[in-house]
Amino acid sequence: MQQILKDFYKAHVSVLIRYTVIVAICITAFFLTGVFARDNTRIPGIVIAVFLGCCLIWAAVDIFIIAPKKFGDRLGQLSAENAAEVVENYTQTYRIGNHKFYKEKWIIFYSYRRIKLIGYDEIISADLKRGGIFLKLSSGRETIITVSPGESGEMLMAAIKGRNENIKIMLNGEPAHIAPKPDSIGTNGKES
């Protein structure tokens, strides 16, 4: 599990660095413009600085404490055999962007500062929208695979569909029309 957490931290440390830089710039700007020196702006300046500091602390707690705990809880929900498979086979996953695909049962990805572990058999449908890939799960829940700039949502959808043929593929809420497999096309180009 240590390698999974290490990769998660590595992927999210840039978020904390950006938050820290933003907070530092804002507070420096408050000092340079005299927000803390004037009586009529001192209290609002302190409130805003404390709020920004709390947001930074919350992000750090979310990444370093809450996300690992929730992932540990998710592993705890699995049978000992499945949990061991997830942890032991992590190094054998293949990667598409920040998303890791296991050969057999699982996909692991990060979404909104969380480590998500989903079984391919849990996915009912995958809908590629502008905000990412919305997965509808058999439990009735929905989760999002965020698609970062430079990543191909279509490639992720194909990888998911390749692991479970029963997943309904959608594009912006409309069913996608998928071409037949090459082995089902006859010599004259028509389906057999």
Side-chain angles (χ1 to χ4, degrees):
M1 184 160 140
Q2 293 303 321
Q3 187 59 45
I4 296 172
L5 294 178
K6 184 178 176 185
D7 287 350
F8 175 72
Y9 296 148
K10 191 188 314 181
H12 286 81
V13 74
S14 64
V15 171
L16 287 180
I17 291 170
R18 283 183 291 203
Y19 286 178
T20 303
V21 168
I22 290 168
V23 169
I25 288 171
C26 289
I27 292 175
T28 302
F30 288 172
F31 277 112
L32 292 176
T33 59
V35 168
F36 295 125
R38 286 176 278 189
D39 290 336
N40 62 341
T41 59
R42 182 177 301 124
I43 299 297
I46 290 170
V47 168
I48 292 170
V50 167
F51 174 75
L52 292 173
C54 288
C55 288
L56 176 62
I57 291 167
W58 175 251
V61 166
D62 206 22
I63 290 169
F64 291 110
I65 296 171
I66 296 173
K69 182 183 178 334
K70 288 197 177 252
F71 182 68
D73 292 346
R74 172 69 170 127
L75 283 178
Q77 294 171 352
L78 303 177
S79 67
E81 177 184 306
N82 283 338
E85 178 187 334
V86 167
V87 173
E88 292 168 10
N89 293 337
Y90 180 73
T91 57
Q92 298 170 358
T93 58
Y94 68 93
R95 180 185 195 130
I96 300 177
N98 285 329
H99 321 289
K100 295 219 172 198
F101 292 82
Y102 286 82
K103 292 178 184 172
E104 297 299 322
K105 299 180 185 176
W106 310 101
I107 177 175
I108 192 167
F109 58 94
Y110 315 133
S111 181
Y112 298 104
R113 296 194 304 239
R114 294 287 182 269
I115 304 169
K116 299 286 186 162
L117 177 68
I118 307 285
Y120 298 123
D121 61 344
E122 295 178 61
I123 304 170
I124 294 173
S125 68
D127 189 359
L128 180 61
K129 295 183 180 179
R130 189 172 155 190
I133 300 171
F134 292 75
L135 300 178
K136 186 169 185 178
L137 306 178
S138 57
S139 65
R141 293 181 312 132
E142 199 171 90
T143 190
I144 301 171
I145 297 178
T146 54
V147 179
S148 302
E151 286 184 325
S152 170
E154 293 82 4
M155 180 82 104
L156 292 170
M157 295 274 282
I160 292 168
K161 180 72 172 174
R163 294 294 176 213
N164 181 352
E165 289 292 320
N166 297 323
I167 296 172
K168 185 177 178 182
I169 299 296
M170 315 264 288
L171 297 172
N172 291 320
E174 298 292 323
H177 302 287
I178 299 173
K181 290 183 179 181
D183 57 76
S184 67
I185 298 177
T187 55
N188 61 1
K190 295 181 180 176
E191 272 190 63
S192 41

